[in-house]
Amino acid sequence: MASHRDERPAGQQQAEEPAEGLPPDERLGMDIKRAEQALIAAKQLAVRPAGLTVPQYAALFALADNPGISGAALARTCLVTPQAMTVVLKNLEERGLVERSPHPWHRNVLETRLTEAGHAALATADARAVRIERALADEFTPEERAQLRKLLERCGAAIGRAAAGL
Amino acid sequence: MASHRDERPAGQQQAEEPAEGLPPDERLGMDIKRAEQALIAAKQLAVRPAGLTVPQYAALFALADNPGISGAALARTCLVTPQAMTVVLKNLEERGLVERSPHPWHRNVLETRLTEAGHAALATADARAVRIERALADEFTPEERAQLRKLLERCGAAIGRAAAGL
DNA sequence: GGCACATTATCAAAATCTTGATGACTATCA
DNA sequence: TGATAGTCATCAAGATTTTGATAATGTGCC
């Protein structure tokens, strides 16, 4: 498509385009974004038949590893705002997939844990979602996997550093 | 923050993985997601002072490379639904950053292109966003960059293959 | 020439996420 | 004991995205 490039007469150039200043060859953001987009799209296809959205699946997954975690802590784990997690948990509770009960000691905290149905739903969704992860894992050798993980970790560190000093 | 994690040192952590046989050590999805989350958060911080959201920035960026593209095609480029792109373009048009005019041949298509103000806004936002990309690029050697890109590409391919045969 | 097909844009409704602000509770320290 | 700081949950309003469905237009095939 688009054989038309952004032809701009070099005469009146009130703002040079930094997009051209940084060659696409060095733009890694696009690659990361593309991979994550493919991942989230595939996961959505995977968990939808189980009646779950991706955020709901993520919450159930984290909840299975940390039973009794608070809503705010769960939100941090899933990288969403506490309010968004509240809505997710409300929906999950209405459908009987999670259970919330006041904490014995901290009356202000609501302990959240999976119900039997929640475990079942997670298992159903995960059975399909795992095929995505499995395909991902099988694509690489253990060395490549470790390599990729390390590179991504450095990405996150570099991004965080840049964002802090923005 | 969060010096108090949800520690429960008492015995049974019950950290059984619901993933049935896929150790977290092999779950690359989390790593990709974390990197992309950091990236999108940083970019949001970067483009916000320019009065743009990340989707708006993405649309302007793609528009700068493909002037006169249709809304639906732009949506595909930015990996969002056509409806979402319609809203984004409406907001951008109301603020005078883009211009839409009927296509000479296809009267059903609305040609969209950036205005002067649009180019300026993109330049302003990109000036800050580039610092994120720059930090990312400077974090790696050219070999590492090529390596990471290749690994991510294989990720996308593997995910797409798995999603197709879901 | 006429008809089915694909693409485009749009309307409408529901769900989700974000920002901002409030009230309640516990832990730490003077 | 009393006060300050930090965490948790929630309300409210706004913006964004998604799903589903409809009308108009150009293209290819019969």
Side-chain angles (χ1 to χ4, degrees), chain A:
Chain A
M1 56 177 98
S3 319
H4 315 49
R5 285 287 297 168
D6 187 6
E7 66 234 81
R8 217 163 356 136
Q12 177 80 356
Q13 200 168 14
Q14 95 274 20
E16 66 148 16
E17 189 135 25
E20 249 67 30
L22 195 60
D25 205 52
E26 297 182 0
R27 295 223 170 196
L28 284 171
M30 282 295 194
D31 302 81
I32 297 175
K33 190 167 200 165
R34 192 156 20 225
E36 208 274 344
Q37 272 283 8
L39 178 67
I40 207 168
K43 283 212 171 170
Q44 187 174 11
L45 283 178
V47 302
R48 160 164 285 186
L52 295 177
T53 65
V54 172
Q56 287 171 344
Y57 167 69
L60 260 50
F61 189 85
L63 222 38
D65 270 348
N66 310 333
I69 195 176
S70 77
L74 189 59
R76 281 193 295 271
T77 301
C78 296
L79 294 172
V80 298
T81 62
Q83 291 91 334
M85 184 52 68
T86 297
V87 177
V88 170
L89 287 179
K90 186 188 301 181
N91 289 337
L92 290 176
E93 188 180 20
E94 282 173 359
R95 290 164 53 185
L97 300 183
V98 304
E99 223 172 15
R100 314 192 71 184
S101 51
H103 194 287
W105 276 251
H106 301 51
R107 204 158 35 209
N108 199 15
V109 174
L110 280 179
E111 265 191 342
T112 308
R113 56 187 68 244
L114 272 72
T115 62
E116 307 295 328
H119 270 112
L122 176 57
T124 301
D126 211 39
R128 292 171 60 92
V130 152
R131 293 160 71 174
I132 305 293
E133 293 279 357
R134 173 71 66 191
L136 211 45
D138 289 348
E139 172 74 16
F140 302 105
T141 67
E143 297 83 32
E144 288 174 327
R145 208 153 50 223
Q147 208 170 34
L148 175 55
R149 173 167 288 144
K150 190 163 189 176
L151 288 171
L152 286 175
E153 198 175 323
R154 285 170 64 191
C155 279
I159 291 168
R161 231 175 302 128
L166 205 62

